[in-house]
Amino acid sequence: MSLRLGDEAPNFKAQTTIGDIDFHQYIQDSWVVFFSHPSDFTPVCTTELGRTSKLKSEFDKRGVKAIALSVDPLQDHLTWIEDINETQNTTVNFPIIADEDKHISELYDMIHPNASATATVRSVFIIGPDKKVKLTLTYPASTGRNFDEILRVIDSLQLTADYSVATPADWKHGEDVIVVPAIKTEDIPAKFPKGFKEIKPYLRTTPQPNL
């Protein structure tokens, strides 16, 4: 059964390129981006893992840990990292899980048999410090992920977790946000002292409150 938003992310123990981990202990009180790769030594995955390592400072300032998974053996991961570092001009700085028996892939529904019976699709799970699934994305094996979108979603998730707001279409950090309908218009000034704009009774915007 596939995971749904709000479900607790299943815990597991695994071998990784930084040693054995318990997933929930690895999360601790951080946010996590957990993503799967169809196979080692493949071109799209190589660019994705390189991009992830280059974004470490962006993840760090958001309190986010990255962790990847492939169904290939640990030794293949370690050899592949050398290629990633060389071709992407980076140093891989996050763990890659070895899931040879596909236990974790199946636990997280990362294998879609009609696409491939042996490889994972490009799944993304954003998991909060409460160990709950906050977002899922699934890409086909042929399409590399948009990491700018992943960072944008993390910004939105973290903002909306702390304030009674939602983010509109194409929102980016620093732009106006939407006051949730549950807040009455007459109560907005007390909650959002930067002011607000009423476009419709159900559509009220305010400057991003945590800036």
Side-chain angles (χ1 to χ4, degrees), residues 7 10 49 51 98 103 109 118 127 172 186 203 208:
D7 288 351
L49 292 178
R51 175 72 169 142
H103 169 69
D109 196 29
T118 58
I127 300 164
K172 296 182 180 66
E186 58 266 29
L203 178 56
Q208 184 173 327

Side-chain angles (χ1 to χ4, degrees), residues 10-26 34 67-70 72 74 77 95-105 107-108:
N11 195 26
F12 56 81
K13 291 180 169 62
Q15 282 190 320
T16 82
T17 51
I18 63 166
D20 292 349
I21 66 160
D22 175 288
F23 188 49
H24 281 189
Q25 289 180 7
Y26 176 79
F34 177 31
I67 184 166
L69 173 146
S70 170
D72 290 316
L74 182 61
H77 289 358
I96 306 173
I97 295 167
D99 187 33
E100 283 188 84
D101 64 3
K102 301 182 177 64
H103 169 69
I104 302 164
S105 303
L107 194 62
Y108 278 77

Side-chain angles (χ1 to χ4, degrees), residues 39-209:
S39 182
D40 291 3
F41 305 105
T42 51
V44 176
C45 299
T46 300
T47 64
E48 289 187 320
L49 292 178
R51 175 72 169 142
T52 302
S53 63
K54 289 179 178 179
L55 287 172
K56 186 177 190 320
S57 63
E58 294 295 325
F59 287 133
D60 284 350
K61 73 183 184 183
R62 292 166 171 84
V64 175
K65 295 177 179 178
I67 184 166
L69 173 146
S70 170
V71 296
D72 290 316
L74 182 61
Q75 186 54 53
D76 284 2
H77 289 358
L78 295 170
T79 305
W80 183 31
I81 284 173
E82 297 175 9
D83 286 358
I84 296 165
N85 292 343
E86 175 191 348
T87 63
Q88 306 304 304
N89 192 30
T90 190
T91 300
V92 171
N93 44 36
F94 56 90
I96 306 173
I97 295 167
D99 187 33
E100 283 188 84
D101 64 3
K102 301 182 177 64
H103 169 69
I104 302 164
S105 303
E106 290 172 356
L107 194 62
Y108 278 77
D109 196 29
M110 294 170 168
I111 294 177
H112 294 191
N114 289 334
S116 170
T118 58
T120 62
V121 291
R122 295 187 193 282
S123 298
V124 182
F125 297 89
I126 297 180
I127 300 164
D130 59 0
K131 315 298 188 291
K132 300 290 180 63
V133 176
K134 307 298 183 182
L135 174 133
T136 64
L137 290 169
T138 303
Y139 294 74
S142 57
T143 302
R145 282 163 274 227
N146 183 330
F147 283 86
D148 290 335
E149 169 64 3
I150 291 171
L151 289 174
R152 188 191 79 88
V153 170
I154 291 167
D155 286 340
S156 174
L157 288 168
Q158 294 182 339
L159 173 66
T160 58
D162 292 336
Y163 296 90
S164 298
V165 296
T167 55
D170 297 329
W171 175 85
K172 296 182 180 66
H173 181 76
E175 297 178 349
D176 286 358
V177 296
I178 294 169
V179 179
V180 297
I183 296 179
K184 296 178 180 178
T185 299
E186 58 266 29
D187 295 334
I188 293 177
K191 290 181 175 292
F192 300 101
K194 293 180 181 180
F196 73 99
K197 181 187 299 182
E198 183 176 341
I199 300 163
K200 291 286 184 182
Y202 60 86
L203 178 56
R204 294 85 46 87
T205 63
T206 187
Q208 184 173 327

